[in-house]
Amino acid sequence: MNRFAKLGLAAALALGLAAATGARAADEPNNDGHGLTPSRQSWSFAGPFGAFDQAQVQRGFQVFREVCAVCHSARNLSFRNLSQEGGPEFTEGQVKALAAEYQIKDGPNDAGEMFERQGRPADRFPWNYPNAEAAKATLGALPPDLSVMAKARSYSRGFPMFLLDAVIQYQEHGVDYVYALLNGYSNPKDLNHNDYFPGGKIAMAKPLTDGQVDYTDGSPKTVQQYSKDVSSFLMWMAEPKLEERKHTGFKVMAFLILFAGLLYLTKKKIWADAH
Amino acid sequence: MSGPSTFVPKSALGRWFESRLPLGGLIHSSFIVYPTPRNLNYWWTFGGILSFMLVAQIVTGIVLAMHYTPHVDYAFLSVEHIMRDVNWGWLIRYAHANGASMFFVAVYIHMFRGLYYGSYKAPREILWILGVIIYLLMMATGFMGYVLPWGQMSFWGATVITNLFSAIPLVGDAITTWLWGGYSVDNPTLNRFFSLHFLLPFMIAGVVVLHVWALHVVGQNNPDGIEVKNTERDTLSFTPYATGKDSFALVCFMIFYAWFVFYTPNFLGHADNYIEANPLSTPAHIVPEWYYLPFYAILRAVPSKLGGVTLMFSAIVVLAFLPWLDTSRVRSAKYRPMYKVFFWAFVAACIGLGYLGAQPPEGGYVIAARLLTVYYFGFFIIIMPLLGLFETPKPLPASIADAVLGKGGLAAAQH
């Protein structure tokens, strides 16, 4: 059993002992099975000039690595991504050192054998389980891959908000849902109860408790802070080119609007004698 | 409208080439001197916008095909590979995915414009029917394209739609198995959908050539729906007038397009499609792309499967018969006070059906969908034939020039 499984066991024990904070007994999940509607959070990466809060995404990675990754995979994440622009932006040295902490299964070599070697930045972030069957056998259910989780969940905004969302550029439905879910364990007696999960019962028992992850930058060690940070990290992992996209978008928009203005004047001049 | 080209190249080499293949003359007569009615409004710029969208989809699509893997084990991952590791891959993929929606936005405006101004009426029947064929091909292309990322909606959408064919009596199941290449949507299905998704846009391009050809034979319809009587007075040359106006409209449309690509790229998609296809887990609601929703609502409005499928396909096929269903001698709704009301009610019904297509098929939603379905078909097969007999149209202007310039337009046009 590797150290991540041990850590997971420790986390589970800690969870069992922890007193639930932020209980929301007043907000009973509704009975139609959809769960409560998440509330909108303020995110640094929202809006046309949105960008990731580097320190937050770094903390989020710490939570992800120490808590989420115990069970969940992130098969689209490579170590090298962690030093790319527009994300946690760890230094290349840090990423190299981080990757080296992991043993990666490689092969087959010239003898036809699989072997383990030290991780490299080019490696994918390894999963704690060799395959889905093994994860299911240990955990009882298959934890979904988290690579694009922040885009793979949503909630209904109803009419007319679902139309207005395109105008106000609200697209953080997924992150808001994840954040709400991580804060939605309102029943200290039932750690699988979640206000925001459809049906109110979630296979993932309350994963975060206060003080569980040791932040070194003085940020509060609370479930709320952890979930905010890790949600932010999940958004980056789901959309690592988000900043580049919005930067490029501004340039494209500025160009197109200017171009449209010039074309309008040209058209006006051409048509001046036709009416 | 078209006659022998008067185009004479300036250079000797040009003249040598032109006398062997009159390419310059074709371009000259089609895109330079081609006469366009001088009363065209901005709704007429969507033909050009659609040509741009077709090219944009083909160009982005060809680049995506270089990096995509049509295999059930790799398709989903290869799309993420494009998003993360391919240079500008995120831009190309988002431009392509949102481009499909923009293509449909433009085509729906184009179609409603034709419906409002009677552009399907003689002598433009073939032009219109070619348009219906393009639309059908677009629907097939869009559907198969949505399957390729192999997310949950891809898989279950494909399952629902291909299953429709099993409603055909006797041979239904055999046809479905043949479409799938097996006994369920699986790797062979994904493979053939990829192949066809690559092929169909070029077929669309071919029909577009015919569509434009037919257009250039009969000439454009116009907001007043009256034929060009005097080319000099009633029309303006394609260049610079139409090209100038179309370019401006196109760039405005590109601003709209860019908004989605850069700022809300997943708004028009479904979150479930970021979950890899899983044949063992059915999503709570299977919802097709927004541009199919009205037809999806019609499909589900009928309690019998065969009936629903028949009605859904009829909803598209009926468009091809429009030129003969509409009995009015006046083309443009501008001069048809009653048709105008029924037309806008029809637009509202289509939007309503679109909304209902995204709702669960239960209770009041189904009743509403049935009522709107009745209106959808009633508009084409009852209202349109009868209206021509009972409606009194407003008097038409004597000519296009009169409509634009008022009386005395002759002097203004010839200054």
Side-chain angles (χ1 to χ4, degrees):
Chain A
M1 201 154 96
N2 65 29
R3 62 198 191 86
F4 279 97
K6 278 181 203 146
L7 197 74
L9 205 66
L13 278 171
L15 285 177
L17 297 169
T21 50
R24 326 177 23 138
D27 296 337
E28 281 301 306
N30 44 13
N31 292 329
D32 62 0
H34 287 293
L36 289 177
T37 302
S39 55
R40 244 185 111 174
Q41 304 299 319
S42 130
W43 300 103
S44 66
F45 46 81
F49 304 103
F52 289 105
D53 174 343
Q54 198 182 312
Q56 183 176 54
V57 182
Q58 290 198 354
R59 287 195 303 272
F61 174 66
Q62 194 185 347
V63 177
F64 166 77
R65 186 187 168 205
E66 293 178 16
V67 185
C68 314
V70 174
C71 302
H72 291 273
S73 59
R75 54 193 180 148
N76 296 120
L77 180 69
S78 298
F79 288 110
R80 65 185 162 81
N81 297 138
L82 295 164
S83 61
Q84 280 170 1
E85 235 178 286
E89 294 190 23
F90 291 109
T91 63
E92 285 187 23
Q94 283 174 309
V95 169
K96 222 171 167 178
L98 175 79
E101 289 179 31
Y102 292 82
Q103 287 296 308
I104 306 289
K105 196 171 197 182
D106 203 346
N109 60 14
D110 50 8
E113 305 289 337
M114 299 301 281
F115 59 93
E116 290 218 329
R117 61 159 174 80
Q118 216 173 44
R120 297 188 286 248
D123 285 321
R124 298 272 178 192
F125 193 84
W127 191 21
N128 246 347
Y129 295 91
N131 55 51
E133 287 312 310
K136 243 186 263 182
T138 315
L139 302 165
L142 178 65
D145 185 85
L146 294 185
S147 307
V148 285
M149 184 51 81
K151 292 196 287 187
R153 293 293 182 274
S154 192
Y155 66 93
S156 167
R157 292 264 284 165
F159 181 82
M161 285 316 289
F162 86 93
L163 287 173
L164 288 176
D165 283 347
V167 181
I168 61 173
Q169 297 188 6
Y170 174 54
Q171 52 192 323
E172 290 77 35
H173 306 73
V175 216
D176 282 342
Y177 172 79
V178 170
Y179 175 78
L181 187 94
L182 291 173
N183 285 290
Y185 291 92
S186 60
N187 186 349
K189 288 193 192 103
D190 180 2
L191 294 180
N192 292 90
H193 167 87
N194 196 294
D195 292 343
Y196 294 92
F197 194 74
K201 270 281 191 192
I202 183 165
M204 173 175 74
K206 189 174 189 296
L208 293 167
T209 44
D210 289 347
Q212 182 182 359
V213 179
D214 201 13
Y215 281 161
T216 51
D217 67 351
S219 299
K221 297 172 191 177
T222 60
V223 170
Q224 220 170 7
Q225 187 64 39
Y226 293 152
S227 48
K228 188 93 197 244
D229 295 345
V230 80
S231 302
S232 198
F233 172 78
L234 290 179
M235 187 67 233
W236 168 76
M237 186 156 63
E239 190 85 7
K241 300 298 170 78
L242 181 144
E243 281 187 24
E244 188 185 352
R245 166 161 65 77
K246 291 184 176 182
H247 288 165
T248 312
F250 182 73
K251 289 181 212 155
V252 171
M253 279 295 188
F255 168 77
L256 285 176
I257 290 169
L258 186 73
F259 191 28
L262 291 173
L263 282 172
Y264 177 70
L265 296 175
T266 311
K267 184 258 165 192
K268 229 172 113 175
K269 189 153 189 205
I270 293 169
W271 281 77
D273 63 346
H275 287 292
Chain B
M1 302 283 293
S2 52
S5 176
T6 54
F7 176 70
V8 182
K10 288 192 186 81
S11 69
L13 181 67
R15 282 192 296 276
W16 179 87
F17 187 87
E18 194 67 10
S19 59
R20 284 153 182 84
L21 181 70
L23 207 58
L26 180 71
I27 292 166
H28 185 77
S29 64
S30 305
F31 302 108
I32 312 281
V33 293
Y34 176 69
T36 60
R38 60 162 64 224
N39 57 343
L40 295 187
N41 56 31
Y42 274 102
W43 299 115
W44 260 266
T45 59
F46 282 87
I49 288 169
L50 284 162
S51 313
F52 167 81
M53 284 317 306
L54 178 61
V55 173
Q57 289 301 85
I58 288 178
V59 170
T60 51
I62 286 174
V63 178
L64 287 175
M66 294 174 188
H67 301 281
Y68 168 79
T69 312
H71 187 285
V72 289
D73 291 338
Y74 305 107
F76 188 83
L77 289 171
S78 72
V79 171
E80 280 307 314
H81 159 71
I82 290 168
M83 293 296 288
R84 290 153 198 270
D85 297 328
V86 173
N87 291 331
W88 297 100
W90 61 268
L91 174 60
I92 296 160
R93 178 184 166 236
Y94 277 154
H96 193 75
N98 285 285
S101 281
M102 295 303 125
F103 207 155
F104 277 96
V105 167
V107 89
Y108 282 134
I109 294 174
H110 194 64
M111 288 163 76
F112 278 124
R113 188 268 288 154
L115 215 53
Y116 185 84
Y117 293 112
S119 300
Y120 45 84
K121 290 160 87 78
R124 297 186 180 82
E125 302 95 321
I126 298 295
L127 175 61
W128 174 263
I129 291 169
L130 287 168
V132 175
I133 293 169
I134 294 170
Y135 176 54
L136 266 171
L137 288 171
M138 278 176 65
M139 305 249 285
T141 311
F143 162 66
M144 288 189 271
Y146 194 58
V147 175
L148 304 185
W150 209 241
Q152 275 288 68
M153 280 300 160
S154 302
F155 179 86
W156 290 99
T159 303
V160 169
I161 301 301
T162 48
N163 251 317
L164 296 179
F165 291 92
S166 70
I168 302 168
L170 303 175
V171 291
D173 285 329
I175 288 178
T176 314
T177 308
W178 177 72
L179 285 174
W180 285 337
Y183 296 99
S184 66
V185 174
D186 208 333
N187 202 45
T189 327
L190 178 60
N191 254 293
R192 62 190 56 189
F193 276 19
F194 178 56
S195 171
L196 293 172
H197 183 71
F198 206 109
L199 165 73
L200 289 188
F202 296 97
M203 289 176 67
I204 293 177
V207 187
V208 165
V209 170
L210 298 179
H211 190 68
V212 174
W213 184 11
L215 174 77
H216 284 231
V217 170
V218 295
Q220 283 160 295
N221 182 34
N222 58 76
D224 291 288
I226 45 182
E227 286 297 303
V228 170
K229 289 180 183 118
N230 178 330
T231 310
E232 196 131 306
R233 288 185 61 213
D234 293 343
T235 67
L236 297 165
S237 58
F238 192 87
T239 302
Y241 295 98
T243 35
K245 197 171 177 176
D246 283 0
S247 315
F248 170 61
L250 173 62
V251 174
C252 288
F253 189 80
M254 284 165 79
I255 294 172
F256 178 70
Y257 180 13
W259 179 278
F260 284 94
V261 170
F262 293 103
Y263 294 130
T264 62
N266 295 304
F267 174 79
L268 295 160
H270 198 292
D272 276 12
N273 228 29
Y274 279 107
I275 304 171
E276 191 173 12
N278 180 358
L280 300 176
S281 152
T282 316
H285 301 293
I286 301 171
V287 187
E289 288 281 80
W290 68 266
Y291 34 86
Y292 303 121
L293 287 174
F295 302 103
Y296 196 53
I298 291 174
L299 168 77
R300 299 189 305 175
V302 186
S304 109
K305 188 173 172 184
L306 180 60
V309 173
T310 310
L311 218 56
M312 183 176 80
F313 284 108
S314 311
I316 302 164
V317 173
V318 72
L319 292 171
F321 294 93
L322 264 191
W324 298 279
L325 286 168
D326 185 350
T327 52
S328 173
R329 276 174 295 118
V330 174
R331 286 198 193 112
S332 171
K334 205 169 158 184
Y335 304 102
R336 299 185 61 191
M338 285 168 76
Y339 176 72
K340 203 188 259 183
V341 176
F342 287 111
F343 169 82
W344 286 112
F346 177 73
V347 174
C350 290
I351 294 170
L353 282 170
Y355 176 77
L356 295 167
Q359 305 307 317
E362 56 200 24
Y365 292 133
V366 177
I367 299 168
R370 283 179 189 159
L371 289 173
L372 292 181
T373 302
V374 168
Y375 184 76
Y376 182 99
F377 285 99
F379 176 74
F380 290 123
I381 56 182
I382 300 168
I383 295 170
M384 277 208 164
L386 291 181
L387 216 51
L389 308 175
F390 294 108
E391 185 180 47
T392 316
K394 291 186 201 160
L396 294 173
S399 71
I400 291 173
D402 281 357
V404 182
L405 309 162
K407 299 274 178 199
L410 182 65
Q414 287 182 338
H415 75 113

